[in-house]
Amino acid sequence: GINKKQATDFGNEQLIKTTEKATNLVEISINEMRSIINNMKPEDLEEKGLLVALTTMIEKLNGLDEMKFSLIIKDEIPIFEETVMVNIYRVIQEAATNVVKHSKCSEARVCCYKKDQTFYNFEIVDNGIGFPVANKEFGEGIPSMGDRIKMIGGYFHIYSSKSKGTRVVAEVPFNE
């Protein structure tokens, strides 16, 4: 990236404007993102269920910028108890936030499907720049997502590599 000082040194007004606009957009996006994310209280989730919560999240994310977010429900989302539901929601939120902040993707989707008789999967996939997962150089968000899923008895995986996009998978146990 190029900072404001470098842009000024180039003496390029246009570049400065673009840099400022980009910075503002990022700040607006992150703030909007926070409000989108913090809008859904656990009691809303409990009342409306995961499907409504996720649909709302995806609709709002779609309004943010050039990214196209979609929600794909292949198999009906099971009824989870509240704690489990809140954890699933927070993990998907965190993954979606990462997509918006870091992926530079043009599209992302949240897929929900039954893996088998005991696990229901939530997958967040983007076609962005990806990152080398092996480095383990990610912020706090990723380990905490893994912890949340483990805590509810599930499994958490991240698949990504440079310029290949990222796939985050949360496998959550459920009872038919």
Side-chain angles (χ1 to χ4, degrees):
I2 196 165
N3 64 33
K4 222 162 149 178
K5 167 118 179 56
Q6 288 168 313
T8 315
D9 292 345
F10 286 135
N12 186 334
E13 275 305 305
Q14 193 51 47
L15 192 55
I16 296 168
K17 282 199 181 71
T18 310
T19 311
E20 279 175 1
K21 186 176 174 229
T23 311
N24 291 345
L25 268 178
V26 168
E27 277 166 18
I28 291 165
S29 292
I30 290 170
N31 291 335
E32 273 190 37
M33 191 77 205
R34 282 210 183 96
S35 72
I36 287 169
I37 282 175
N38 299 327
N39 269 349
M40 189 52 84
K41 291 171 213 65
E43 48 274 24
D44 291 345
L45 253 178
E46 180 68 353
E47 227 172 85
K48 301 179 177 142
L50 209 44
L51 179 58
V52 173
L54 292 178
T55 305
T56 307
M57 186 200 302
I58 298 299
E59 277 170 5
K60 290 193 168 151
L61 286 172
N62 248 330
L64 276 184
D65 51 22
E66 307 302 296
M67 276 177 210
K68 168 94 182 78
F69 263 90
S70 49
L71 178 63
I72 299 162
I73 311 284
K74 291 183 178 157
D75 303 294
E76 197 180 332
I77 297 176
I79 305 292
F80 293 105
E81 58 172 272
E82 191 183 353
T83 344
V84 174
M85 214 161 41
V86 170
N87 279 299
I88 294 168
Y89 183 79
R90 293 284 175 235
V91 165
I92 294 172
Q93 244 172 14
E94 178 68 40
T97 307
N98 288 344
V99 169
V100 172
K101 279 194 196 160
H102 308 296
S103 77
K104 300 182 167 55
C105 70
S106 60
E107 43 187 319
R109 59 183 191 276
V110 176
C111 296
C112 308
Y113 60 93
K114 225 193 269 185
K115 183 190 177 199
D116 50 34
Q117 297 314 299
T118 45
F119 285 96
Y120 190 90
N121 282 13
F122 295 90
E123 235 181 60
I124 301 86
V125 187
D126 71 62
N127 66 352
I129 57 173
F131 66 100
V133 181
N135 287 2
K136 296 273 183 277
E137 280 174 25
F138 18 72
E140 273 308 286
I142 291 176
S144 81
M145 287 166 27
D147 293 344
R148 281 181 184 275
I149 298 300
K150 278 192 201 99
M151 191 173 78
I152 58 177
Y155 299 95
F156 181 76
H157 316 276
I158 291 190
Y159 307 97
S160 183
S161 54
K162 276 237 177 289
S163 70
K164 290 272 195 294
T166 301
R167 187 161 71 102
V168 172
V169 184
E171 301 182 17
V172 184
F174 76 102
N175 298 318
E176 292 273 13

